[in-house]
Each structure stands twice: as structure tokens, then as C-alpha cells.
Amino acid sequence: RLHLVTWNVGTASPPPDVSSLLQLDSLGATMDMYVIGLQEVNSKITNFLSDLAFDDPWSIFFMTVLSPLGYIKLSSVRMQGLLLLIFVKHVHLPFIRDLHTQFTRTGLYGYWGNKGGVTIRMSLYGHTVCFMNCHLPAHIENTEQRLDDFEKILEMQFEGENIPSALEHDVLFWFGDLNFRIADYGIHFVRESINNKRYNLLWEKDQLNMAKKKEAFLQEFVEGPLHFKPTYKFDLYSDVYDTSEKKRKPAWTDRILWRVKNLCQHAPKGGEFSEEQQTISVTLNNYISHMSYGISDHKPVTGTFGLELKPLVSEPLVTLSPEGEWSAEHDVLINYSAVPEFPSSAWDWIGLFKVTFKHVNDYVTYSWVEDDEISSNKDGKQVYMSAAEIPDVGGEFLLCYYSNNLQSVVGISQPFQIQPNRTFIGKELPQEEDSWMQRPDNLESHDEF
């Protein structure tokens, strides 16, 4: 289950609560992955420089909301006001590989990043999946410019790298403030149709719908029905359309589309295509806007999807577990084993994480798999971890194996308890040092994390 958000936040700060936006209050099954695409994140030069050194306020906000629920920030990429974040449940980490990020500027003839696209791609259980958050040119007369820019973004993503192009991925999600407007109809007809909830009267003049009928490169993109009010342009903190002097015409600027790579090209000559051959499918469960959020002149839009995968990768590269019962009073051991083809490195490490960790840098401590190894045989290896590094208060933790060659977590343990140090029970403990101060030297602050 994948929940995708697109929201032009208009340089605003995060709202007090995003439970409904992320469907955290729904009674259904929890999501496996959150993909959050924002546009017009505050990108004044002072904000941007501080955000490069530390996580920006929106990233910190979503991490704070989602990490207690068992999600970690898998990857992020930022280009001025464009931000793309992906959060996943711990259990999926070992099956997500080949993470790459990319951005393409299209503002000011490609020299300025106020418009363009940011992309995160990955191998998910062996299938290639790509997420592309775009902010395209504004104004009703710029349809061709929007299409040209999107075509340029498609062509330039991962160009020259040993990575498939965006359209070669098994699944491509395209979303953002795409800025397509409603052509021909006047503002009174548009507003009257919206007031009467007769949105279907406007669909055929929606510029994106019109372009999908004419432009070959758009025809394989799919979108759910627009059964919600146009999401632009509102007075702040209201559900009233623009009352300023400009009185801009409402439009569905904020959209979510997807494309499953053409499976028919693999069909037998007879033209028959059995369902068994289809290894990945996408189902849209919900496509809605969220009218209660008023921090910008756009309303956020979410799409909830089911991704059905026949796993091409079903075993983790590394299996690991704590040896025996762990206590903060003594040194401990970690057992791990790797599949024969695993490309291990002297720079690989195993991190101890709280179960509510926010991202891969957010560990409590770590052991180098070679330097701290104490035994090795055909069944596996053991690594030592010092009691001095283990939190005296104990609690619930996880172990993750980080591969330097693959730049990702390739194994994760089940949650387990560490017994507290009895010497410290009842005493006030010193605050833990920020884990980023002591991270392994090989783990730089990449966009991927």
C-alpha cells in the first residue's frame, strides 16, 4: 500500500496536524510506503543554505510524525522549492536497492531551479519504480511550455548514468503542481459547475486531459477521475476561491498520474496475454483533495495505491540477529550471515537503532563488520559490540546491516529488548549525544538519506 501526497505549500511552515492528509486516522490497513512531493517549499537563500547543512523543517516534521509509527526516511531530494521524500516500513528496507536521486532545472532556460523536476528511483523487490515530482510553468497560455518541460525532464533524468530512463522503469509515478488549467470556459461557468458539483462538465477542457489525447508520450499515463473540486486557487485558510482583484479561474493544477511499462510488448505472437505473466500491477484505491488545509492557495491531493508485486527478490542479502539476551551491563554479540553473491566491504557496518529511528544516520552505535569480528565459519559470523556504547536505560531496538558498496541497508533484525543497566535505574541519565556526531566516516550526508 502506497500513499502519495502532492502539495504546493506556498512557502508556508508545516501545519499543526497531518493525520487526515496521511490517512493516519483511517481504520484500514497501514501504508507500506509514503511518497510526499512538495512544491514552493521556502527557498530563500538563508533557508536553503541552512537546509543543505541540516534537514529542512518539512523533512523534520514528517520524520517526527512517521518515525514513531515505524517508518524511516528512505530517501529525499531537494531542488530549491521542490522537495521529494520517501518513507517506508522497516520490514521493506532489505528489499529496496539501487536508490538514486536526480533533479532537472527548467526555469530560466534550465539555469534556475524554481521550476523543474526531482526524482527518486529504486529497485523494489526486484522491480524498477520511479517517482517524479514536478513544478511546471504557470499561466493558462503556457500549455506547450509545460509539455516541453515535462518531455525535457523525462529525457534528462539519469541521462549518462547506468540507470534506465524514467519511461523504462516498470512503474513511473508523475505528480506535482503541473499547472494545467481549464481552457475556453469563463470563470462564471467554471465556478457554477463547481458549486453544483458537476465537475464532469469541465473535464474535456482540462488542458492535461486534452494533451493526453494528442501527445503520444502522455498516452500511457493513467489518472483517476477528478471527483474533487479544482485545487487552485483559494484564499488562505479558507475553501473560498480567489477573491483578490485577479480572481484567478479555478483549476486542477495538482495531479497524480502513473504509468506501468507497456506489458503488451512482451505478449505472445497470438496476442494473448495471461495474467500470470504480469509481475507488477497498480490499483488506485483513492484519489482525493484535502480541503481542510489552508496554509497555501493550493489544496493538497493524495492518491492511495495498491502495488501488487510478484517478488523477483524475496530473500535479504544479509540475515542478522542479537546473540542471546542483551543487557546494557555487558558486551554483546551479533550473529549475521550473507548470501554467497553478496559484495561485502571492509567499510560495511552494523548499527544499533531504536525502533523509532528516523533515518539510516539515526543510530545509537555501530560495529564495523571486519574490525569488530570475533568469529567466522561457514554458517555465519559474529561481531562484537561494547557495553559502553549501549544505552543504560535499555529499551526496544533493531539491528541494521549497512552495505557500503550498495549504499543501503541490506539486512534488518526483528525488534528485541535490551535490559537496562541496574546501576543506573532511578538515576537521572545524561542526554544521549546526537548520533550524527559519531557516524561512520564512509557514510556521507548523501541526498539519498
Side-chain angles (χ1 to χ4, degrees), residues 6-7 63 97 100 105 121 138 147 171 179 213 217 225 262 297 319 327 332 338 343 348 358 398 429:
T6 179
W7 192 4
M63 280 191 283
R97 301 173 193 170
H100 290 87
R105 300 183 182 95
R121 63 87 58 194
L147 295 172
V171 182
N179 253 322
K213 292 175 183 173
F217 76 102
N262 186 4
D297 53 1
T319 305
S327 164
V332 291
D348 290 358
K358 296 180 174 70
L398 291 162
L429 293 167

Side-chain angles (χ1 to χ4, degrees), residues 74-122:
L74 174 76
S75 184
S76 67
V77 58
R78 170 121 186 236
M79 181 185 74
Q80 284 178 227
L82 271 171
L83 176 64
L84 178 55
L85 301 162
I86 297 184
F87 295 85
V88 293
K89 280 284 192 186
H90 302 151
V91 67
H92 301 299
L93 277 179
F95 306 101
I96 297 174
R97 301 173 193 170
D98 301 326
L99 266 169
H100 290 87
T101 65
Q102 181 66 273
F103 60 84
T104 301
R105 300 183 182 95
T106 58
L108 256 184
Y109 308 102
Y111 290 102
W112 190 239
N114 65 319
K115 295 290 191 290
V118 291
T119 303
I120 298 173
R121 63 87 58 194
M122 68 188 73

Side-chain angles (χ1 to χ4, degrees), residues 40 107 120 133 170 172 236 271 328 344 347 404 410 417 425 447:
E40 290 193 26
I120 298 173
N133 172 25
D170 295 328
L172 168 61
L236 294 185
S344 62
W347 297 105
N404 183 59
V410 294
Q417 288 290 329
I425 292 176
D447 270 344

Side-chain angles (χ1 to χ4, degrees), residues 48-192:
F48 190 59
L49 290 174
S50 65
D51 292 349
L52 287 176
F54 307 100
D55 274 312
D56 65 277
W58 281 94
S59 298
I60 293 167
F61 171 73
F62 281 114
M63 280 191 283
T64 304
V65 170
L66 290 170
S67 66
L69 304 176
Y71 298 91
I72 81 151
K73 187 179 83 168
L74 174 76
S75 184
S76 67
V77 58
R78 170 121 186 236
M79 181 185 74
Q80 284 178 227
L82 271 171
L83 176 64
L84 178 55
L85 301 162
I86 297 184
F87 295 85
V88 293
K89 280 284 192 186
H90 302 151
V91 67
H92 301 299
L93 277 179
F95 306 101
I96 297 174
R97 301 173 193 170
D98 301 326
L99 266 169
H100 290 87
T101 65
Q102 181 66 273
F103 60 84
T104 301
R105 300 183 182 95
T106 58
L108 256 184
Y109 308 102
Y111 290 102
W112 190 239
N114 65 319
K115 295 290 191 290
V118 291
T119 303
I120 298 173
R121 63 87 58 194
M122 68 188 73
S123 166
L124 178 64
Y125 290 91
H127 299 274
T128 54
V129 183
C130 186
F131 299 96
M132 185 179 288
N133 172 25
C134 293
H135 193 183
L136 301 182
H139 307 305
I140 194 162
E141 67 274 11
N142 285 332
T143 306
E144 290 305 317
Q145 187 64 52
R146 286 188 272 278
L147 295 172
D148 289 347
D149 282 8
F150 178 51
E151 202 162 12
K152 177 184 175 185
I153 293 166
L154 282 174
E155 288 169 359
M156 292 185 68
Q157 297 296 280
F158 310 115
E159 189 179 38
E161 301 180 48
N162 191 23
I163 299 170
S165 70
L167 293 175
E168 284 300 307
H169 284 70
D170 295 328
V171 182
L172 168 61
F173 288 92
W174 171 41
F175 49 94
D177 180 359
L178 307 184
N179 253 322
F180 290 101
R181 307 305 171 97
I182 297 169
D184 299 342
Y185 297 140
I187 188 169
H188 297 296
F189 178 79
V190 170
R191 288 193 174 188
E192 195 63 27

Side-chain angles (χ1 to χ4, degrees), residues 400-442:
C400 292
Y401 187 112
Y402 184 85
S403 163
N404 183 59
N405 286 331
L406 299 177
Q407 294 284 296
S408 63
V409 170
V410 294
I412 188 166
S413 75
Q414 292 295 318
F416 63 95
Q417 288 290 329
I418 297 180
Q419 299 305 314
N421 187 333
R422 286 167 295 185
T423 311
F424 286 85
I425 292 176
K427 290 187 180 181
E428 189 174 331
L429 293 167
Q431 286 194 323
E432 289 174 32
E433 193 177 349
D434 283 340
S435 58
W436 65 268
M437 296 284 286
Q438 49 179 356
R439 69 169 172 237
D441 291 338
N442 70 309

Side-chain angles (χ1 to χ4, degrees), residues 86 124-125 135 144 205 219-220 237 254 329-330 397 419 445:
I86 297 184
L124 178 64
Y125 290 91
H135 193 183
E144 290 305 317
K205 294 299 182 181
Q219 285 172 3
E220 290 184 347
Y237 300 103
D254 310 280
E329 295 178 9
H330 55 75
F397 292 84
Q419 299 305 314
S445 182

